[in-house]
Amino acid sequence: MADTKREIERKYEGPPAEGDAPLPDLTDVPGVSVVIDKGVAELDATYYDTADQRLATASLTLRRRTGGDDAGWHLKLPVSEGVRDEIRAPLSDTVPEDLTALVRSRIREAELVPVVRLLSVRDIRHLVDASGTLLAEVSVDRVRAERLSGGAGSAEWTEIEVELADDGDPAFLDKVEKKLRKAGIKRSASASKLAKALDDTAPRKPEKPEKAEKVGKAGKTGKAGKAGEPGKGDNAGTTGKVADVSKATTKAARPEPPDSTPRTAGDHILTFVRAQRDAIVELDPAVRRDVPDSVHRMRVATRRLRSTFRSYGKILDRTVTDPIGVELKWLAAELGVDRDQEVLTEHLTSALDDLPSDLVTGPVQARLSTWSGARRSGSRQHLIAVLDGKRYLDLLTTLDTLVAGPPLREAASKKPAKVIAKAVRKGFKKVADLVGEALELPPGSERDLAMHDARKKAKRTRYAAEAATPALGDPAADLVKSMKSLQTLLGDHQDSVMVRGALRELATEAHAAGENAFTYGVLYGRAEQRAAAVEAELPGEWEAIEDKGAV
């Protein structure tokens, strides 16, 4: 079974010439009492990736290493600069399934193959404080890299690595770095050994001739186009058409090159779309590892994408995006199978905990636990199966295709201040209409439904304003805050509606079992009061939002 270790480290270039002292005296580093020589380890690591290096492009590394005290399979996932989560699995001849699953959103159906072998001689030192506590491990690595696929080059270099001890203070690395810099040692230009190995062993591109020679008459080689035009045999562009799926699959999960500053309405919306696509792909390993809040964040990314497609139909052709929206809705539902029930249970449990003990009659807590357990699908395995399934992987490929060849409409080329602002104002007007309808209805199920519809539209308008903020600035950012506030208020009301429905169900089950249903009635009354309080607050909240207006 794989286990995880948070790794915080910095890499530095080794001595420029053989014979130079690799390290200064590190006992001078503040906090260090002793530098312990831990000897030399010989490490043999084979790195795996797809043929087109999808993992390396995303700054992920997967290796099988022998030697040292942590032999096995290691998958490193970037967290922030200099910080990675290293997920380990025991040695085996093939890539462990657990680790393959964690890179599935990147590699899709592509095969993982050996790409580079690194042979390292590691000279290790431990920096220890006066109490004997390890502060950091410093190693001098003499590395030889051998290309295994995509070329046959080799390279050698020396580097210094400083890794913070578990639960150590990251500020300590600054103290070590200050000492190294004084000794003329600078940070490595490569983020990892693998990155340097790939760069240094990559096949060299053939040098271009200084000046191309003229080749006969144009008629003998095929007519060349005029300056700035392709020849007759060249392929024309496909602007406005969705790229071929096979091309998108080849480049699956490869981030596009950094864009220039977005200028058109299409530029801005595609930047937002790309960010949500990237969030889904990047959160996939966290969801599989059950990292807190990861499911919610992936679900939000799917909703942002779907809302963007619906709000900006003047920019992205909805005949193309609507079917993708259906798949995004499906994925959001799968991600929320257990989460919605979990939230409802939390509300009920909290409400029960707030009741005075003399208002609790019968086995209410036991009944609530049984009811909740029966409705939880226990579907963690189901969710993993969804993420491994063809439908989900096809959705990721479809999103890659959309980003690579967006179905832009004519308005996409226009200035964002006009096109994007118009879409946001349209969304705001719909929110206003729905809130107005809800306020005109008397308390009851119809008003509950109307307020729920207003909440959903407020959420969509908030996401539209988020996409618009880089283009429209503060007015859009202010609208995001307003819609979030309204969404929270209406969400509290919807929570009350859901809680009351659950309490009716619980009371019915308790009565059928011969239990006292008094407590469920008390809880129902309190939930009803909370809904009434929201309904009383809504007119004033909405008036303040409406006064600010849209963008």
Side-chain angles (χ1 to χ4, degrees):
M1 190 69 180
D3 64 301
T4 303
K5 178 181 182 297
R6 176 62 55 89
E7 180 183 83
I8 303 175
E9 66 179 18
R10 297 180 187 178
K11 295 181 182 295
Y12 302 86
E13 294 183 0
E18 190 174 348
D20 289 353
L23 290 172
D25 182 4
L26 297 176
T27 55
D28 291 341
V29 175
V32 175
S33 177
V34 180
V35 176
I36 302 174
D37 188 341
K38 301 297 289 185
V40 175
E42 295 186 358
L43 309 176
D44 185 345
T46 299
Y47 287 78
Y48 286 70
D49 204 338
T50 60
D52 55 356
Q53 296 178 15
R54 298 178 195 177
L55 299 187
T57 300
S59 300
L60 277 67
T61 61
L62 173 63
R63 72 186 179 201
R64 180 187 187 275
R65 190 168 79 179
T66 57
D69 57 5
D70 64 346
W73 286 91
H74 306 148
L75 170 64
K76 298 191 178 188
L77 305 174
V79 176
S80 58
E81 185 179 359
V83 182
R84 295 184 291 183
D85 279 342
E86 182 177 89
I87 303 168
R88 300 174 176 178
L91 276 176
S92 60
D93 292 335
T94 57
V95 182
E97 291 184 8
D98 286 353
L99 300 189
T100 301
L102 292 177
V103 297
R104 180 66 65 203
S105 66
R106 301 286 183 182
I107 67 172
R108 314 291 162 79
E109 299 300 329
E111 182 183 4
L112 289 168
V113 297
V115 292
V116 167
R117 184 185 185 191
L118 297 184
L119 300 171
S120 303
V121 177
R122 170 166 288 184
D123 191 355
I124 306 168
R125 293 167 177 81
H126 282 182
L127 308 186
V128 177
D129 67 12
S131 68
T133 301
L134 177 65
L135 300 173
E137 179 177 284
V138 180
S139 61
V140 179
D141 294 345
R142 293 173 175 81
V143 187
R144 175 177 173 78
E146 300 173 356
R147 192 80 171 216
L148 302 178
S149 64
S154 64
E156 294 185 7
W157 69 90
T158 299
E159 70 176 37
I160 297 166
E161 184 176 292
V162 183
E163 182 176 348
L164 190 69
D166 293 347
D167 302 320
D169 181 1
F172 178 71
L173 295 181
D174 295 332
K175 298 176 183 179
V176 177
E177 179 162 316
K178 185 176 181 180
K179 181 67 176 178
L180 295 177
R181 288 174 67 88
K182 284 184 177 180
I185 298 171
K186 61 182 180 179
R187 289 270 197 112
S188 174
S190 298
S192 66
K193 286 185 177 67
L194 175 62
K196 181 171 178 58
L198 290 172
D199 287 341
D200 290 358
T201 64
R204 292 185 179 180
K205 295 180 180 180
E207 294 183 4
K208 294 181 180 180
E210 292 183 6
K211 189 173 181 180
E213 297 181 3
K214 293 182 180 180
V215 183
K217 294 183 179 181
K220 294 183 179 180
T221 57
K223 289 185 178 181
K226 295 179 181 179
E229 294 180 1
K232 284 189 174 182
D234 294 340
N235 293 324
T238 57
T239 303
K241 295 183 180 179
V242 177
D244 185 85
V245 171
S246 63
K247 294 178 181 178
T249 303
T250 301
K251 298 181 180 180
R254 276 177 168 263
E256 289 70 27
D259 294 329
S260 58
T261 302
R263 301 184 186 280
T264 67
D267 290 340
H268 282 281
I269 298 309
L270 285 174
T271 297
F272 191 75
V273 166
R274 187 177 295 114
Q276 307 318 310
R277 185 279 310 268
D278 291 348
I280 293 172
V281 172
E282 290 165 7
L283 283 165
D284 179 292
V287 170
R288 293 173 185 270
R289 293 163 57 205
D290 204 17
V291 174
D293 202 41
S294 59
V295 171
H296 171 69
R297 289 164 59 205
M298 183 187 276
R299 197 179 184 193
V300 168
T302 65
R303 287 172 168 171
R304 282 187 171 128
L305 260 182
R306 184 165 173 257
S307 293
T308 301
F309 292 156
R310 297 177 71 180
S311 296
Y312 293 105
K314 293 291 185 181
I315 295 173
L316 294 172
D317 188 350
R318 288 193 59 172
T319 62
V320 175
T321 61
D322 278 357
I324 302 174
V326 171
E327 295 304 287
L328 290 168
K329 184 178 181 180
W330 160 77
L331 178 57
E334 293 288 3
L335 291 167
V337 166
D338 277 351
R339 178 57 183 163
D340 290 343
Q341 180 63 35
E342 181 183 348
V343 170
L344 182 56
T345 301
E346 288 173 358
H347 282 305
L348 289 167
T349 301
S350 177
L352 182 60
D353 290 342
D354 288 342
L355 274 186
S357 58
D358 60 341
L359 294 181
V360 180
T361 59
V364 181
Q365 183 61 63
R367 169 67 57 188
L368 175 58
S369 297
T370 301
W371 173 85
S372 176
R375 281 152 186 78
R376 287 289 299 274
S377 60
S379 65
R380 173 128 194 93
Q381 294 84 353
H382 172 73
L383 179 56
I384 298 302
V386 166
L387 298 182
D388 284 333
K390 185 177 185 301
R391 185 174 181 180
Y392 168 70
L393 298 177
D394 284 350
L395 171 58
L396 296 185
T397 298
T398 300
L399 292 174
D400 289 340
T401 303
L402 180 100
V403 169
L408 299 174
R409 300 185 66 190
E410 184 178 351
S413 62
K414 296 181 179 179
K415 293 182 178 180
K418 182 177 180 180
V419 180
I420 293 178
K422 184 177 180 180
V424 174
R425 285 195 295 270
K426 183 179 178 182
F428 182 82
K429 184 179 183 304
K430 288 185 178 180
V431 174
D433 291 343
L434 289 170
V435 171
E437 291 175 11
L439 291 175
E440 290 176 359
L441 292 169
S445 59
E446 286 189 33
R447 173 181 269 198
D448 292 344
L449 184 59
M451 292 180 71
H452 183 47
D453 288 341
R455 172 177 173 263
K456 291 189 291 184
K457 186 59 189 177
K459 186 186 298 184
R460 189 190 308 171
T461 303
R462 170 191 165 190
Y463 294 152
E466 287 177 347
T469 297
L472 306 181
D474 289 343
D478 290 341
L479 183 59
V480 171
K481 294 177 183 177
S482 295
M483 291 297 98
K484 186 175 182 180
S485 176
L486 178 63
Q487 177 188 331
T488 299
L489 185 65
L490 295 175
D492 290 343
H493 186 275
Q494 179 62 16
D495 288 342
S496 171
V497 172
M498 299 301 294
V499 165
R500 281 179 280 161
L503 288 168
R504 279 194 297 269
E505 187 176 338
L506 283 163
T508 300
E509 291 180 1
H511 179 74
E515 299 166 6
N516 191 324
F518 170 78
T519 300
Y520 304 107
V522 174
L523 292 172
Y524 188 99
R526 289 192 166 199
E528 202 168 39
Q529 288 177 344
R530 284 195 296 275
V534 170
E535 292 176 18
E537 187 181 347
L538 180 59
E541 175 78 11
W542 177 247
E543 184 178 354
I545 292 173
E546 202 168 25
D547 286 344
K548 293 179 182 178
V551 296

